[in-house]
Amino acid sequence: MKCVLPFASWDKYSSLGMGKLQQGVVHAVCCALAVLCVRQGSGAQTNAAPPGRFVDLTAKLGIHFKQEASPTSRKYLLETMGSGVALFDYDNDGRLDIFFANGARLDDPTRKGTIPKKDNPKYWNCLYHQKTDGTFEDVTEKAGLTGFGYSTGVAVGDYDNDGYEDLFVAGYGRSTLYHNNGDGTFADVTDSAGVAGSGWATSAAWVDYDNDGRLDLVVARYLQWDFDDIYCGEPRPGHRSYCHPDIFKPVSILLYHNEGNGKFTEVSHQAGIDKPGKGLGIAIADYDHDGWTDILVTNDSIPEYLFHNRGNGRFEEVGIASGLALDGSGATFAGMGVDFEDYNNDGWSDVIITDLANQGYALYTNAGDGIFNYVTGAEGVGRMTLLHSGWGVRFFDYDNDGWKDLFVAQSHVMDTIEIQEPHLHYREPPLLVHNQHGRTFVDVSPQSGEVFTQRWAARGLAVGDIDNDGRLDVVITSNDGQAWVLRNETSTHNHWITLKLVGVKSNRDGIGAQVEIVTDAGKQYVTVTTASSYESSSDPRVHFGLGNAESVNLIRIRWPSGVIQTLNDVKADQFLTVTEPAPTAK
């Protein structure tokens, strides 16, 4: 059964001007439909699927970060959108470190035109260095990363190809680019690089869109918004709510071309990517295999954008034509988090987009002909997500069986949602979903650890192998709350392999490279990226679960430079560094 609910959950009744009786009728219908859909789809949840096991080790590892949303009585929209997290090895010691973006002080009320200040250490962004014993130490001040303004998203990439990962921190009013000095410190090079931007930046991604060997930067912005003191919600004490994004005008995406001398040129208009949107998430992939990396931007309550890279320095927005812009009923939805990977192992990058309760997370399969098919209902995702709201999301193989599963950070956007719709919740547990050989998904959260019984106001999510044991771990941020480091302790005898790509003619991180592996069980495909999820950046190393295969028959890498590299008969259960070969002379 396909369920389509008539309204999303944002402050809908007051914005539609309904009276109390009309509100009650609509609310009852929505609730009935939601419960009916979930009950009718519940049978598929009994399918046998191996559970995961994720354990909260945050305090034990020495992580004590809290995101400061700085809530006010005015319900400024900025307060509820959260901040992201990055997993990356900033000092090249082979161990992943963690960076958290953080909010800033907001006055009540805050004057229009104000850039919030980090005038107290509790508002600082935080860098945690992983020590040799696996615990972490706060090195924020030493590294020079305390930050500026109200920080939101984070993107990791070696933009100058010097072998050290650099850091872009998106924010409200001004974003910041930090150059990794290679000695444990970072330098703020924002002004000299020309990437400060303006407005409200959310997610960002490093991508070499013109294949010149240098990483460029794409930045999503959310709304034309400036601490507008607008009252939304019912005019009763305790019923004021965050305003729907429909109230505010869209704002264009920013694209910065890397000139190779530490400077960037803003080329959004020339590249055809300056379409005004309400962007919250960014993911990259070469979805049509033409050798040029494409860009997907999720929008809140307007059509989603897919920018097809034409290979001449310009993009064409093809969201509607490709089938990615709307859901299966032709409606817009609250696009938030996103991932752009091949979950059914057919060689074509698929898409997951999280959204608000009463919508169902949007899952699309890539048909290989430029068209994406909406399969939220058919693949089982709709029934398990209908009453939930999602932010950060990633496809990854938690049990190393060779099929990419789903992990979602969940929470509603409105902290008053339970007043309006008692069957929904502001705080929600995370979601772990097992991939049944690319045919359907099964919710295994209840069997996968205590963390899946806890309710969080989760936002950002990053994935990486923090303890280098061959199982992918997760870090999650929450809005105005603590962060969680979840170690993957899933019991499995399955094998794995993790590749670290080093570009030579291509960008050093190999971002945009397409990796194919072949085992006796079949093929798998991954695009090298640090982007996707929501306002977050994940481990750039490429991880494959191998099932019972003790070796990989073939690894084929298509580098952004166009070089094709193959490796044969590679032993499983190892971290392997692969350096791009020099192009063959013609």
Side-chain angles (χ1 to χ4, degrees):
M1 174 183 176
K2 180 179 179 181
C3 302
V4 181
L5 297 190
F7 298 105
S9 300
W10 279 91
D11 196 25
K12 54 187 176 298
Y13 305 136
S14 59
S15 64
L16 290 171
M18 290 184 177
K20 293 184 180 294
L21 178 60
Q22 292 171 300
Q23 292 175 20
V25 172
V26 171
H27 179 265
V29 171
C30 286
C31 291
L33 283 172
V35 173
L36 177 63
C37 290
V38 171
R39 287 177 177 171
Q40 290 193 349
S42 61
Q45 303 305 306
T46 62
N47 291 349
R53 176 171 170 76
F54 286 83
V55 179
D56 176 10
L57 294 183
T58 313
K60 183 177 180 180
L61 295 179
I63 304 294
H64 303 289
F65 173 78
K66 177 182 181 294
Q67 196 268 355
E68 297 289 343
S70 197
T72 71
S73 67
R74 308 302 171 115
K75 295 281 185 179
Y76 294 123
L77 195 52
L78 185 63
E79 302 167 15
T80 194
M81 303 307 286
S83 303
V85 56
L87 278 170
F88 71 123
D89 181 7
Y90 78 91
D91 58 349
N92 291 343
D93 64 358
R95 297 182 294 272
L96 289 177
D97 310 299
I98 307 175
F99 175 86
F100 294 102
N102 200 356
R105 178 174 59 83
L106 301 181
D107 296 325
D108 192 357
T110 301
R111 295 177 57 186
K112 292 173 72 74
T114 296
I115 296 180
K117 295 180 174 60
K118 294 186 184 295
D119 53 6
N120 185 305
K122 73 177 184 178
Y123 298 122
W124 289 356
N125 301 331
C126 281
L127 176 65
Y128 284 93
H129 173 254
Q130 186 176 172
K131 299 186 290 186
T132 55
D133 63 359
T135 63
F136 290 81
E137 58 182 335
D138 185 341
V139 296
T140 309
E141 195 167 12
K142 175 183 176 182
L145 290 175
T146 57
F148 180 90
Y150 203 108
S151 302
T152 50
V154 55
V156 173
D158 182 4
Y159 74 84
D160 58 349
N161 294 328
D162 67 351
Y164 290 92
E165 300 288 2
D166 307 301
L167 202 60
F168 178 82
V169 182
Y172 175 78
R174 179 186 187 269
S175 297
T176 308
L177 176 61
Y178 294 100
H179 177 259
N180 188 334
N181 296 323
D183 60 0
T185 67
F186 291 78
D188 181 347
V189 296
T190 311
D191 292 336
S192 61
V195 295
S198 62
W200 182 350
T202 52
S203 294
W206 292 101
V207 54
D208 182 7
Y209 75 90
D210 56 354
N211 291 347
D212 66 355
R214 298 185 296 267
L215 287 176
D216 312 299
L217 179 65
V218 59
V219 182
R221 294 188 292 178
Y222 188 27
L223 303 164
Q224 293 186 33
W225 181 91
D226 186 10
F227 292 105
D228 305 274
D229 194 4
I230 303 172
Y231 190 100
C232 294
E234 295 183 50
R236 291 192 290 158
H239 285 249
R240 184 168 185 168
S241 63
Y242 296 105
C243 293
H244 193 288
D246 285 353
I247 294 175
F248 307 100
K249 295 180 180 179
V251 63
S252 62
I253 298 157
L254 298 174
L255 178 64
Y256 296 97
H257 181 261
N258 187 342
E259 303 297 340
N261 55 2
K263 298 184 182 299
F264 291 77
T265 301
E266 202 263 287
V267 295
S268 311
H269 180 68
Q270 299 94 303
I273 204 170
D274 61 338
K275 185 173 182 178
K278 297 183 178 182
L280 289 176
I282 298 180
I284 65 169
D286 179 7
Y287 76 89
D288 58 348
H289 294 183
D290 65 355
W292 301 94
T293 305
D294 311 297
I295 299 171
L296 174 60
V297 177
T298 60
N299 287 310
D300 192 353
S301 301
I302 66 171
E304 316 302 307
Y305 291 162
L306 176 60
F307 292 97
H308 177 246
N309 191 336
R310 297 170 61 181
N312 59 358
R314 291 188 57 80
F315 291 82
E316 178 184 9
E317 202 287 298
V318 296
I320 294 290
S322 70
L324 271 179
L326 306 169
D327 69 12
S329 64
T332 60
F333 52 90
M336 296 192 288
V338 60
D339 203 5
F340 205 172
E341 285 288 359
D342 175 20
Y343 77 82
N344 56 8
N345 293 348
D346 66 354
W348 301 92
S349 298
D350 310 300
V351 172
I352 180 76
I353 301 175
T354 55
D355 50 31
L356 285 181
N358 296 340
Q359 295 178 340
Y361 304 161
L363 180 67
Y364 302 86
T365 57
N366 187 338
D369 57 0
I371 301 299
F372 290 81
N373 296 314
Y374 183 82
V375 295
T376 293
E379 301 286 275
V381 172
R383 55 182 163 260
M384 72 178 71
T385 65
L386 186 63
L387 300 183
H388 301 283
S389 303
W391 299 80
V393 59
R394 286 300 304 265
F395 284 117
F396 73 94
D397 188 356
Y398 73 81
D399 60 348
N400 288 337
D401 69 349
W403 297 90
K404 298 180 189 68
D405 312 297
L406 273 173
F407 201 115
V408 187
Q410 299 190 127
S411 167
H412 206 279
V413 69
M414 293 198 302
D415 57 0
T416 56
I417 189 61
E418 288 161 60
I419 297 175
Q420 299 173 351
E421 301 186 58
H423 65 292
L424 302 180
H425 302 282
Y426 173 61
R427 301 180 187 277
E428 296 191 53
L431 176 68
L432 182 65
V433 182
H434 189 262
N435 182 347
Q436 302 286 81
H437 299 280
R439 295 187 295 269
T440 189
F441 289 90
V442 174
D443 181 358
V444 296
S445 307
Q447 300 83 36
S448 297
E450 183 183 352
V451 296
F452 297 97
T453 67
Q454 300 174 9
R455 296 182 181 274
W456 309 333
R459 295 294 186 266
L461 178 152
V463 174
D465 190 349
I466 296 175
D467 54 356
N468 289 334
D469 69 348
R471 291 171 294 189
L472 292 177
D473 310 298
V474 177
V475 181
I476 295 176
T477 64
S478 67
N479 193 54
D480 203 41
Q482 73 168 80
W484 287 270
V485 180
L486 306 180
R487 186 165 72 186
N488 184 349
E489 297 183 356
T490 300
S491 178
T492 177
H493 297 292
N494 290 329
H495 299 282
W496 56 274
I497 191 167
T498 298
L499 309 178
K500 178 182 178 181
L501 271 59
V502 179
V504 176
K505 184 177 181 182
S506 302
N507 67 85
R508 188 175 176 86
D509 287 329
I511 288 176
Q514 300 169 64
V515 184
E516 172 191 356
I517 70 163
V518 181
T519 68
D520 291 343
K523 299 179 179 180
Q524 295 181 56
Y525 306 82
V526 166
T527 298
V528 180
T529 181
T530 60
S532 74
S533 187
Y534 172 76
E535 296 188 338
S536 299
S537 188
S538 291
D539 185 354
R541 296 177 297 182
V542 176
H543 175 93
F544 292 95
L546 303 178
N548 59 12
E550 297 182 355
S551 65
V552 181
N553 301 339
L554 174 71
I555 299 175
R556 180 183 291 111
I557 303 169
R558 180 189 174 100
W559 293 86
S561 65
V563 169
I564 306 295
Q565 182 176 10
T566 59
L567 296 83
N568 296 289
D569 299 320
V570 180
K571 184 180 178 180
D573 303 326
Q574 65 165 317
F575 292 90
L576 180 64
T577 298
V578 182
T579 301
E580 178 184 20
T584 303
K586 294 183 179 179

